[in-house]
Amino acid sequence: MMKRRLISVLMLATILLTLCGPPAAAVDQMQTTAETLSKLGLLNGVGVLPDGQTDFNLDASVTRGEAITMMVRLMGGEQEALQMHYSHPFRDAGWASDYIGYAYRNGLTSGVAPNTFGTTQKIDTAQYLTQILRVLGHGAYADWRNPYPMADLAGLRYSTGQEFTRRDMVLISYSALQCEFSRTGLTLYQLLNAFGVFDPDVIAARPTPRPAPTPTPTPAPKSTPAPAPQPTSAPQTGPITVTSTDQMFAQVLAAMQARMDTVSLQVPAGQEEAYSDALLREMKRFQDVTSLGTMSSPGRGTFQVELTLTDYARIEAYLEKKTSTLSAQDQQTLQAAQKVSASIITSSMGEYDKVKAIHDYLINFNTYQETGSRSHDAISALVDGKSVCDGYAKAFKLLCYLNGIDCVRVCGSAGGGNHAWNKVKVNGAWYNIDVTWDDPVSSRPVLRYDYFLISDSALSKDHHWTQYAHLPTAPNSYTK
């Protein structure tokens, strides 16, 4: 019998379990996620459900033996573990002996006592997150007493229920595949796939972008966080029938503007991969998104798009009560932006003066410097003082938002490479502003206004971008 082929384009499908849908829908989504892990060879079922689907016993608690088994599989070590039968001192290893031996040999785990592993003892969320952080190469930074901030930074998805179940294990394990492995630039899935861990006859996948984390409740930072608003009712996510890529773009754009992270579509059957390819080519169309992912079933036309929103978009969604939580980093970004805004903006200022104050502050506070992925986030320009163009543009956008000024981030190219800047609305008209290029790399502080409130024609001399219909135009430069 032919194996069912699942094609995952751009990134493996992320099943969002924190949506405000009915419980039955959440169970169905997790069943789909578990089936995907099963096809990858990472999860075994325990039987068959009445409807014919595999029973993954999702509501059962997770034991230390089950957790260490999943950990070894996610490390690509199952075949070695089963072949080598590494020795260990634990007398209660039981069925998990080979997996425990592999983990023990590689210094990944210890028992609850010198000769006791605790194979049948239950594990909690913090313990499992710590294990998965070790899988991702973050073991040195994983604090088993409070792994949540590091898990957020790594991009892991998790819930904080009272009992850790197989459903939670599936959620965390699946999200781990989409996380970057220890600053390699590759997701864990890409790395495992490159080493031939997955059966190519079951899964055909393309490189996947690293998603930003979906925030979940974490311990409060030392400074007082902004009060958490209550979420509004969950938006309708589809399925929505589209018959052209332009219609798909319009639906994804609407989802982005509504600060949704998922939209379900029905596309022409057999064209799922073509639609995914078109979405990848048009990434710059969606300026508030850092990555796009799709899951599709070949020949069926079912097509789900997941949007990973930028940091400022996540913060805006929080302030607009479209979500009730922020990650630790996003919370820090918001607090820093509010502090900066309070220090440079006064009630007597008009829009021009506010924009100029934001422009000047970011230039005077920052030095252009690439420091890793963080320098592409707003926090780098608001907290670190070292940022690149994307960090400047995102921080500028967030500060404008906090002060009621219309602003968008634009993704294009300049100086021979990818670049980001902003369009901002001042006194009813739109203008371009490139904070980065007004902050030239220099051994001494430099503040200039060569790219401050200029027209499209002026900017186009050395900047290039696609003027999508939803982006505002700037026909004139600002004159007082």
Side-chain angles (χ1 to χ4, degrees), residues 400-416:
C400 284
Y401 175 86
L402 293 178
N403 288 282
I405 298 170
D406 290 336
C407 178
V408 298
R409 168 172 159 263
V410 181
C411 300
S413 62

Side-chain angles (χ1 to χ4, degrees), residues 237-421:
T237 57
I240 302 168
T241 300
V242 296
T243 57
S244 69
T245 55
D246 285 342
Q247 290 179 357
M248 174 183 65
F249 296 150
Q251 292 298 333
V252 175
L253 180 64
M256 177 197 79
Q257 293 170 338
R259 302 311 188 209
M260 297 166 56
D261 20 34
T262 303
V263 57
S264 296
L265 304 174
Q266 184 72 33
V267 303
Q271 298 184 32
E272 299 86 4
E273 187 170 3
Y275 274 68
S276 292
D277 289 342
L279 200 58
L280 176 60
R281 290 193 299 269
E282 292 291 329
M283 263 292 298
K284 290 182 180 179
R285 179 185 296 264
F286 310 103
Q287 73 275 4
D288 297 341
V289 171
T290 58
S291 66
L292 287 167
T294 68
M295 182 182 74
S296 60
S297 296
R300 296 186 179 182
T302 56
F303 191 82
Q304 180 168 294
V305 183
E306 180 177 318
L307 296 79
T308 302
L309 297 173
T310 60
D311 49 5
Y312 65 77
R314 296 192 300 269
I315 291 170
E316 289 176 12
Y318 174 83
L319 294 175
E320 293 169 6
K321 301 183 180 181
K322 295 173 180 176
T323 182
S324 61
T325 57
L326 283 179
S327 69
Q329 179 169 312
D330 286 350
Q331 190 72 262
Q332 186 182 5
T333 301
L334 173 57
Q335 293 168 9
Q338 291 171 327
K339 183 177 180 180
V340 169
S341 182
S343 69
I344 65 174
I345 304 297
T346 65
S347 58
S348 62
M349 287 181 172
E351 290 182 341
Y352 173 87
D353 292 327
K354 290 179 181 179
V355 169
K356 182 177 181 297
I358 295 170
H359 168 274
D360 293 358
Y361 174 84
L362 291 175
I363 291 174
N364 290 331
F365 179 69
N366 282 280
T367 299
Y368 185 92
Q369 185 174 337
E370 169 71 66
T371 61
S373 60
R374 183 176 166 108
S375 61
H376 293 261
D377 295 331
I379 195 170
S380 64
L382 293 168
V383 175
D384 303 339
K386 297 176 182 179
S387 189
V388 296
C389 62
D390 219 12
Y392 281 88
K394 291 175 180 177
F396 184 86
K397 170 69 169 73
L398 180 56
L399 289 171
C400 284
Y401 175 86
L402 293 178
N403 288 282
I405 298 170
D406 290 336
C407 178
V408 298
R409 168 172 159 263
V410 181
C411 300
S413 62
N418 292 332
H419 190 50
W421 61 94

Side-chain angles (χ1 to χ4, degrees), residues 355 396 400 405-408 422-426 429-433 453:
V355 169
F396 184 86
C400 284
I405 298 170
D406 290 336
C407 178
V408 298
N422 300 95
K423 284 177 177 281
V424 62
K425 191 176 184 181
V426 176
W430 284 92
Y431 304 95
N432 292 286
I433 186 165
L453 303 183

Side-chain angles (χ1 to χ4, degrees), residues 165-186:
T165 66
R166 284 171 63 89
R167 177 178 288 104
D168 298 308
M169 182 178 71
V170 167
L171 170 62
I172 295 172
S173 303
Y174 192 71
S175 71
L177 293 174
Q178 304 166 66
C179 295
E180 182 182 1
F181 180 84
S182 189
R183 299 184 180 182
T184 60
L186 297 175

Side-chain angles (χ1 to χ4, degrees), residues 53-77:
Q53 296 186 89
T54 302
D55 182 3
F56 294 103
N57 203 17
L58 296 176
D59 292 323
S61 58
V62 180
T63 65
R64 283 172 54 85
E66 290 171 327
I68 205 67
T69 299
M70 181 62 82
M71 182 183 186
V72 171
R73 287 172 177 167
L74 286 170
M75 295 186 68

